[in-house]
Amino acid sequence: MLHGVAIRTLEGLDPAALPLHALVAAGEPVVLRGIARDWSLVQAGLRSNEEAMACLRGFDTGTPVTYSHGGPEIEGRPFYNDDFTQLNFDVRRGVLSQVLDEIRDTFNVARPPTYYVASLLIERALPGFAAANDAGLAALGINATASIWIGNRVTASCHYDTPDNLACCAVGRRRFTLFPPEQIDNLYPGPLEPTPGGQVVSVVDFDRPDFDRHPRFRDALAHAQSAVLEPGDAIFIPSMWWHHVRSLEPFNVLVNYWWRSSPAYLSSPLPALQHAMWALRDLPPREKQAWAKVFEYYVFGPAERAGQHLPDAARGELAPFDETLARRVRAQLLGRLNR
């Protein structure tokens, strides 16, 4: 697999004073070496996988968790069947301690089944964990959702997330390969539904790329950035950057924090995308071109341009959004969609 140029790295940072606001403003991925090195889970994992598992069990309250399970034939890659109509793994339900036991049983298996607990909310499933294993985003004024990812050698196919992301490698090593948002066409996105993890993924097999079938992937690789994270390292992944993540050890744990820099009253762009595909994508080309100009004027151009020639009292939803305007527009949209 080709990995691209090295992701920019910062070392020697004070974990209590991470420059996350500056990183968000810059909009480029950065590796932050060693910022979680003092976490109790990281230190336990450096001693042994068994100690790392014992650390996690110490916070487990028996809350049911869902996890992905696939046979040896998927080679650690939760993905699709050959015609992309079904996923190649099952979603199971159990308790974390049981999943850890089953992962432990795969350590010496040449071709193990895949186990993957993905995006488990820490506050719900592991109360008390954050007190000894936390990146300190709240102190920076960042209201982030903390999740934990637990598995054996798992490959998360290349995908993007809407929020900004700080991902902390706690146990094991992970290789991250990133692409800027404009590479979407060269990454060959798969179906919108179903998806292996809730987000659209690239259908390219990064280990065995088929350049006859996916020739533009060569262009994507020219823009790839990559890094291997050791336990205690973190990576900042800006919103909408595509990332392919491979866990490199028999047991791996990652903690990540998602947050949006936009106000909470702004809607997620994803429903707007789905609505636009429904309403606009299959229009005649001439109409689509006209609507592209309309969207450029009202949405993708300068926010203050549309309606700037109108008095403030007449601008309505052309004015900057606040909570009151957001509620009014949401009510209007629901009314129109329910007709």
Side-chain angles (χ1 to χ4, degrees):
M1 173 181 167
L2 301 176
H3 300 299
V5 301
I7 299 172
R8 183 166 73 94
T9 297
L10 297 177
E11 302 200 36
L13 293 173
D14 180 355
L18 299 178
L20 289 181
H21 294 293
L23 297 182
V24 170
E28 295 284 337
V30 179
V31 173
L32 310 173
R33 294 288 183 195
I35 68 164
R37 184 81 177 185
D38 293 335
W39 287 11
S40 63
L41 177 59
V42 173
Q43 289 299 312
L46 289 173
R47 291 189 292 270
S48 71
N49 287 332
E50 288 290 350
E51 288 204 36
M53 289 185 170
C55 180
L56 291 170
R57 287 190 177 96
F59 299 104
D60 180 23
T61 60
T63 301
V65 301
T66 58
Y67 62 99
S68 302
H69 177 271
E73 69 279 358
I74 77 170
E75 298 181 325
R77 186 188 180 209
F79 194 61
Y80 293 96
N81 62 0
D82 290 340
D83 64 2
F84 299 98
T85 58
Q86 293 182 330
L87 302 174
N88 67 353
F89 60 92
D90 298 321
V91 177
R92 298 183 176 181
R93 190 170 177 86
V95 295
L96 182 58
S97 293
Q98 162 238 321
V99 179
L100 292 174
D101 288 343
E102 294 185 22
I103 292 175
R104 183 189 56 205
D105 292 341
T106 72
F107 284 172
N108 297 315
V109 178
R111 295 185 71 238
T114 295
Y115 290 89
Y116 195 32
V117 179
S119 193
L120 180 63
L121 291 177
I122 289 174
E123 183 179 18
R124 179 181 70 84
L126 299 172
F129 176 90
N133 305 272
D134 184 70
L137 273 66
L140 300 173
I142 296 173
N143 182 20
T145 300
S147 301
I148 194 166
W149 309 68
I150 303 167
N152 50 0
R153 286 189 174 96
V154 178
T155 296
S157 295
C158 196
H159 64 284
Y160 68 88
D161 297 306
T162 303
D164 291 308
N165 184 4
L166 181 70
C168 302
C169 189
V171 181
R173 298 177 303 134
R174 272 179 161 82
R175 176 177 287 281
F176 285 77
T177 304
L178 275 63
F179 302 84
E182 60 268 22
Q183 290 303 307
I184 181 172
D185 188 43
N186 296 329
L187 291 169
Y188 297 87
L192 297 179
E193 290 184 0
T195 61
Q199 283 291 91
V200 171
V201 303
S202 168
V203 300
V204 178
D205 184 343
F206 278 36
D207 292 323
R208 295 174 289 270
D210 184 342
F211 292 112
D212 291 331
R213 192 174 182 182
H214 307 125
R216 294 190 306 276
F217 185 59
R218 291 187 188 276
D219 297 325
L221 288 173
H223 299 272
Q225 301 182 35
S226 182
V228 172
L229 269 62
E230 303 288 338
D233 293 341
I235 183 171
F236 169 69
I237 303 175
S239 167
M240 306 300 290
W241 274 67
W242 290 76
H243 45 289
H244 177 277
V245 187
R246 163 165 280 184
S247 304
L248 301 175
E249 307 296 344
F251 181 54
N252 303 270
V253 183
L254 179 137
V255 175
N256 91 297
Y257 304 86
W258 277 315
W259 74 97
R260 293 184 65 190
S261 300
S262 55
Y265 54 76
L266 293 184
S267 177
S268 166
L270 291 175
L273 173 64
Q274 188 175 30
H275 194 180
M277 288 191 296
W278 172 33
L280 301 172
R281 187 193 59 200
D282 296 335
L283 292 177
R286 178 180 58 80
E287 292 184 39
K288 286 179 67 174
Q289 291 171 8
W291 276 108
K293 294 295 184 182
V294 172
F295 270 68
E296 174 63 27
Y297 180 75
Y298 285 107
V299 178
F300 296 111
E304 69 280 359
R305 178 177 64 185
Q308 65 182 353
H309 52 284
L310 297 173
D312 288 348
R315 296 181 76 178
E317 57 200 73
L318 301 180
F321 271 85
D322 56 20
E323 292 189 18
T324 300
L325 181 56
R327 285 197 297 268
R328 188 166 78 230
V329 171
R330 181 177 184 274
Q332 290 173 348
L333 287 173
L334 288 172
R336 290 169 183 166
L337 289 172
N338 287 327
R339 287 176 184 169

